[in-house]
């Protein structure tokens, strides 16, 4: 099936791509600063996230809950996410997809030891324009490399 043709002007297309870049940057900032009241509103109601190995999260509330539990659960994990070199394609006036090179670092304190994850990979995302605003409708994270300290994943069982 051929995707719908773009009917917007070149300037409108460039503006749409810039809006998607800003959306992506806002998602990373909101996640790293733990602004959970705003995280869900950056996604469609039916968003699908495949950021966890072998696990799919569906829906903005479920996604916000999953990310919040990972970064701000019983053990607070400090995170820094960076997205680079976006490749964004408008599929229609209201849909797009993109790939972003990514790097993330996550830290938590394990007694007197700092635990660390440093990851590299790509976000593969789909976007949909809803009521005039671009939102993330699908995300898949692929990792090329992950470096961790030996006890990094212990945070899942640690309590404060």
């Amino acid at each position: 099936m051929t995707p719908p043709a773009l009917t917007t002007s070149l300037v409108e297309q460039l503006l749409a791509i810039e809006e998607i870049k800003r959306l992506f940057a806002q998602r990373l900032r909101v996640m790293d600063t733990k602004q959970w009241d705003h995280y869900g509103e950056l996604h469609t109601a039916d968003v699908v996230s495949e950021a966890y190995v072998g696990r799919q999260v569906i829906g903005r509330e479920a996604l916000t809950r999953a990310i919040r539990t990972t970064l701000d659960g019983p053990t607070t994990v400090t995170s820094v996410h960076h997205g680079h070199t976006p490749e964004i394609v408008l599929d229609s006036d209201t849909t797009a997809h993109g790939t972003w090179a990514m790097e993330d670092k996550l830290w938590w304190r394990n007694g007197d030891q700092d635990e660390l994850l440093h990851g590299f990979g790509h976000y593969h995302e789909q976007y949909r324009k809803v009521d005039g605003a671009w939102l993330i409708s699908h995300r898949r994270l692929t990792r090329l490399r992950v470096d961790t300290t030996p006890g990094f994943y212990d945070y899942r069982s640690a309590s404060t």
Side-chain angles (χ1 to χ4, degrees):
M1 173 185 248
T2 304
L6 293 170
T7 62
T8 54
S9 71
L10 182 56
V11 170
E12 290 169 316
Q13 292 172 34
L14 292 172
L15 180 59
I17 290 170
E18 186 61 27
E19 289 170 353
I20 291 168
K21 289 178 183 179
R22 292 174 63 92
L23 169 69
F24 181 88
Q26 186 178 13
R27 180 187 74 84
L28 296 183
R29 178 182 51 78
V30 165
M31 178 173 54
D32 288 339
T33 58
K34 299 175 175 45
Q35 297 178 46
W36 307 121
D37 291 343
H38 299 293
Y39 190 80
E41 65 195 34
L42 304 173
H43 302 81
T44 59
D46 61 347
V47 64
V48 175
S49 177
E50 300 176 68
Y52 301 97
V53 177
R55 185 170 150 218
Q56 200 177 70
V57 178
I58 301 171
R60 67 169 55 123
E61 290 82 13
L63 177 58
T64 300
R65 190 169 41 256
I67 297 290
R68 184 178 190 163
T69 299
T70 299
L71 297 179
D72 209 14
T75 299
T76 299
V77 176
T78 301
S79 64
V80 176
H81 290 79
H82 288 184
H84 311 277
T85 61
E87 302 171 61
I88 299 169
V89 176
L90 297 175
D91 300 311
S92 74
D93 294 343
T94 58
T95 59
H97 69 275
T99 302
W100 297 77
M102 64 78 64
E103 178 179 4
D104 60 353
K105 283 192 170 182
L106 291 83
W107 299 266
W108 71 279
R109 194 82 177 144
N110 187 3
D112 61 354
Q113 174 74 34
D114 282 329
E115 301 291 355
L116 167 72
L117 175 147
H118 191 183
F120 307 87
H122 294 91
Y123 284 115
H124 308 269
E125 295 190 333
Q126 295 174 16
Y127 310 95
R128 193 177 329 136
K129 196 168 191 176
V130 178
D131 297 329
W134 286 99
L135 301 174
I136 301 162
S137 60
H138 188 270
R139 174 181 315 106
R140 181 171 52 89
L141 171 60
T142 57
R143 293 215 180 251
L144 300 173
R145 179 181 176 120
V146 177
D147 298 322
T148 63
T149 53
F152 177 79
Y153 291 103
D154 293 346
Y155 80 91
R156 294 177 177 163
S157 60
S159 61
T160 56

